[in-house]
Amino acid sequence: MSRLFWVGVGVAAGVALSRKLQAKVRQATPAGIAENVSDAMRELAGAVGAFGADVRAGMAEREKELQDVVDERSGVRLGRAGSRHDARARRADG
């Protein structure tokens, strides 16, 4: 009974090792390398998109801060969205 147990353990270890080895060999093939590169490119694109969203959010926050300062110091209330366009239109009208 003990020998049968150890044979089973050996077979299971051999199968597990064989599968891991096949996965490593697959990564070294051109198709595996292309898959790794495409995964890296997807991750990079996601990171760039997240960075862009953070930058836009920061810009909007800073623009609101600046609008508040202008309103406080000059008494001129700029529109929230498209404030530059609104200010130009007021100058052209007035």
Side-chain angles (χ1 to χ4, degrees), residues 65-87:
E65 290 172 2
L66 293 173
Q67 287 175 355
D68 292 344
V69 169
V70 167
D71 183 37
E72 179 182 315
R73 291 185 181 176
S74 68
V76 175
R77 182 69 183 158
L78 297 176
R80 191 151 201 238
S83 61
R84 289 184 213 126
H85 178 70
D86 293 343

Side-chain angles (χ1 to χ4, degrees), residues 4 7 11 15-16 19-20 22-24 32 34 47 55 64 66-68 73-74 80 87 91:
L4 186 59
V7 166
V11 167
V15 167
R19 288 186 180 187
K20 287 191 183 257
Q22 282 179 340
K24 292 293 181 186
V55 168
K64 180 167 180 348
L66 293 173
Q67 287 175 355
D68 292 344
R73 291 185 181 176
S74 68
R80 191 151 201 238
R91 272 187 255 137

Side-chain angles (χ1 to χ4, degrees), residues 9-48:
V9 169
V11 167
V15 167
L17 184 63
S18 174
R19 288 186 180 187
K20 287 191 183 257
L21 185 61
Q22 282 179 340
K24 292 293 181 186
V25 168
R26 164 98 171 97
Q27 288 179 350
T29 63
I33 291 171
E35 186 177 321
N36 289 340
V37 168
S38 68
D39 289 345
M41 293 301 288
R42 265 188 244 114
E43 287 180 29
L44 178 64
V48 168

